[in-house]
Amino acid sequence: MGEARQGGRPLVFEVGAPGLRVGVLSERLDVPVVEPAEAFGPAARAEPPMLPHATEGQLARHYARLAAVNFGVDTGFYPLGSCTMKHNPRVSEDAARLPGFAAVHPYQPASTVQGALGLMHALQGVLAEVSGLPGVTLQPSAGAHGELTALLVFRAAHGQRGDATSRRCVLVPDTAHGTNPASVAMAGWEVRQVPTDGRGNIDLGELRSALGPHVAAVMLTNPNTLGLFEERILEVTASAHRAGAFVYCDGANLNAILGKARPGDMGFDALHVNLHKTFATPHGGGGPGSGPVCVSAELAPYLPAPVVAEVEGGGYGLVEPERTIGRVRSFLGNFGVAVRAYAYALALGSEGLEEVAEQAVLSANYLKERLKVAYDLPYDRTCMHEFVLSGRRQRRRAGIRALDIAKRLLDFGFHPPTVYFPLVVEEALMIEPTETEDPDTLDAFAEAMLRIAREAEEEPEVLRSAPHATPVRRLDEVRAARRPDLRWRRVRARGGG
């Protein structure tokens, strides 16, 4: 951030002064002091690194101040549509920190980590059960990585069928997550877009017209990014299969159907599971991601190697699938995330997992009904875990954009929803309450949104200049995205010293 202080707070480099002791309880060195020039020769750096010089107390206060202005699911309602921001139960954190899990080393012989392998095998079983797809790999590091992994599996299977070269494109709906076409391109295929019909489903007629011997796969999110369940999903998957294409389910919204419906039963051939969205592990910057992939029995032989399996004689081992596409990640994936996800599944049980979906859908429909009187609702159907409003009315009457509404929400202590996505909705506001939000919180959010709608009519300037109560006001987001200033420079922070 250079010398631009955030909200008037000093950067860590501006706390303290050279020569201050960082720790008050640091111990004396019990190893010989090494002269870098002698140890590294010409590779030794000429100048010492510019590290902050602050006392332990100064550092503690510095990071406590930063934590106080940080916003997350532990500090407030986070209705970020398309990204299920879930409360992370502390019991899962406790499980992940058990020494037997936290201290395990990836190079340990399988015979010494039977407990860890057993947990992974059990988690594979849970994911196979909820997805209806028996083959599971835990290797992918995130949802998008899972997409790419599944597409590579599709490619290998097409190769076995002998039509890999003739199938050159993948169909995706115009409501798809942005990672879908990106994954298709990375897998070496062309992307072809299919429009959405008037009820928010993928247009089945357009899809059938686009299918043919040149199509390798169809990628679909169900429930989709409009928060709607694909009403003719069985016809969609059957049409794709008749054309010889595989069907991929973007599992980002699995939270809405957990324990209620299984993608495998809908005809999907593969699915990725965002453990952080569905099984309550840390999300985004809160921790490493994990995007296990579940596939049909036909595709299981192509999964990345190795997978955890029961071995002859008892216990668990690492097995290489017969026609594996090879390894897609080091070791076996983000093991700590797997522990958290399994603990979450065990704590809830099958009935609890089903209740997750029920509560998520109930909360979303409650908010939808409260807010549709003040905002346009382009697809007025029973929604799943999320719904998409339009700020079209506010824009036409007062020139208020979805971004203005989102910024004003910050003043009421709420994280704003996703805006301008999906692209098929003008001035889109995608709202997703999680199943763990209480009625009072949902009502407070609804009241804030309704007040903002009134302000758009009566005093729109309040919205255009929002936020007013945050540590920093409205930023130049284009400049922040294109010219991020993330590196502290000595010359700027210390007057050219």
Side-chain angles (χ1 to χ4, degrees):
M1 292 294 179
E3 62 185 2
R5 299 180 176 192
Q6 293 296 302
R9 295 174 175 80
L11 304 176
V12 67
F13 292 94
E14 299 166 335
V15 174
L20 287 177
R21 293 180 61 185
V22 172
V24 296
L25 298 176
S26 58
E27 298 180 357
R28 293 182 179 278
L29 287 177
D30 59 358
V31 295
V33 176
V34 175
E35 182 60 41
E38 295 179 5
F40 299 104
R45 61 185 305 154
E47 297 180 0
M50 282 301 300
L51 299 176
H53 294 268
T55 66
E56 183 173 315
Q58 286 174 317
L59 278 181
R61 291 167 189 152
H62 174 75
Y63 286 110
R65 281 195 296 269
L66 291 180
V69 297
N70 188 34
F71 194 97
V73 290
D74 287 350
T75 55
F77 184 33
Y78 208 131
L80 194 66
S82 200
C83 279
T84 308
M85 305 302 286
K86 300 184 70 162
H87 168 69
N88 301 149
R90 294 323 188 244
V91 66
S92 300
E93 297 298 317
D94 289 344
R97 285 166 173 73
L98 290 173
F101 292 140
V104 70
H105 194 283
Y107 281 127
Q108 282 184 234
S111 61
T112 67
V113 289
Q114 284 295 297
L117 294 178
L119 182 146
M120 299 178 79
H121 186 263
L123 178 59
Q124 289 175 185
V126 170
L127 299 180
E129 177 60 30
V130 300
S131 69
L133 296 162
V136 181
T137 173
L138 302 180
Q139 282 191 31
S141 299
H145 193 195
E147 294 172 17
L148 176 62
T149 299
L151 289 171
L152 295 177
V153 166
F154 288 171
R155 177 180 289 282
H158 278 305
Q160 187 68 23
R161 292 178 176 181
D163 59 1
T165 56
S166 60
R167 295 187 182 273
R168 56 185 184 278
C169 79
V170 174
L171 305 180
V172 301
D174 55 7
T175 56
H177 290 108
T179 52
N180 290 178
S183 297
V184 172
M186 288 190 70
W189 276 317
E190 300 171 13
V191 181
R192 293 195 181 174
Q193 186 170 286
V194 181
T196 296
D197 67 17
R199 286 186 57 78
N201 303 304
I202 188 171
D203 191 306
L204 188 55
E206 294 284 349
L207 176 71
R208 285 171 172 161
S209 298
L211 285 168
H214 59 290
V215 177
V218 176
M219 296 186 81
L220 202 62
T221 308
N222 192 31
N224 64 29
T225 59
L226 292 166
L228 303 174
F229 192 90
E230 291 286 344
E231 296 172 302
R232 302 174 72 178
I233 186 60
L234 295 180
E235 295 174 74
V236 168
T237 54
S239 297
H241 288 156
R242 279 196 296 272
F246 292 110
V247 191
Y248 180 79
C249 183
D250 181 326
N253 297 340
L254 186 63
N255 193 54
I257 58 173
L258 199 59
K260 293 290 185 181
R262 307 194 306 173
D265 297 336
M266 302 174 204
F268 285 103
D269 301 290
L271 158 88
H272 82 257
V273 183
N274 294 93
L275 293 184
H276 51 278
K277 290 185 175 183
T278 307
F279 288 86
T281 65
H283 191 291
S290 183
V293 171
C294 309
V295 300
S296 64
E298 177 191 356
L299 296 175
Y302 302 94
L303 283 175
V307 295
V308 180
E310 291 182 289
V311 295
E312 189 175 347
Y316 303 95
L318 302 178
V319 175
E320 182 168 309
E322 181 183 358
R323 301 190 184 97
T324 180
I325 61 171
R327 183 179 287 278
V328 298
R329 191 192 183 282
S330 58
F331 307 115
L332 300 175
N334 284 323
F335 175 64
V337 178
V339 175
R340 291 176 174 89
Y342 186 60
Y344 179 80
L346 279 187
L348 291 182
S350 57
E351 292 183 1
L353 292 177
E354 188 173 349
E355 190 176 348
V356 164
E358 294 172 351
Q359 289 293 330
V361 172
L362 179 62
S363 296
N365 278 282
Y366 177 72
L367 280 183
K368 174 177 68 69
E369 291 301 311
R370 287 210 61 183
L371 297 179
K372 73 178 187 181
V373 298
Y375 298 88
D376 287 351
L377 180 64
Y379 301 96
D380 193 359
R381 289 171 45 188
T382 299
C383 70
M384 300 302 288
H385 62 304
E386 66 188 9
F387 60 101
V388 181
L389 298 173
S390 170
R392 178 177 51 196
R393 188 187 316 178
Q394 286 72 27
R395 182 178 185 183
R396 292 180 179 174
R397 290 182 181 176
I400 293 299
R401 305 291 306 273
L403 182 65
D404 301 321
I405 296 168
K407 294 296 184 186
R408 181 61 174 146
L409 261 177
L410 296 172
D411 289 331
F412 295 95
F414 298 112
H415 193 283
T418 298
V419 295
Y420 302 119
F421 180 77
L423 301 179
V424 297
V425 175
E426 179 183 355
E427 299 294 328
L429 293 153
M430 181 192 283
I431 298 170
E432 181 179 358
T434 59
E435 72 282 355
T436 47
E437 296 299 343
D438 58 89
D440 288 345
T441 299
L442 298 181
D443 281 334
F445 176 76
E447 291 300 327
M449 287 290 290
L450 295 173
R451 175 173 167 176
I452 290 171
R454 290 195 299 273
E455 289 179 341
E457 297 277 349
E458 299 167 0
E459 42 184 343
E461 193 53 41
V462 173
L463 272 66
R464 294 193 186 98
S465 55
H468 304 278
T470 51
V472 294
R473 301 292 295 275
R474 189 176 300 203
L475 303 175
D476 183 339
E477 297 192 6
V478 174
R479 183 181 178 190
R482 295 182 178 178
R483 299 177 57 191
D485 185 3
L486 305 175
R487 182 180 179 184
W488 175 77
R489 299 175 181 82
R490 183 198 309 185
V491 63
R492 295 176 60 186
R494 298 197 171 181

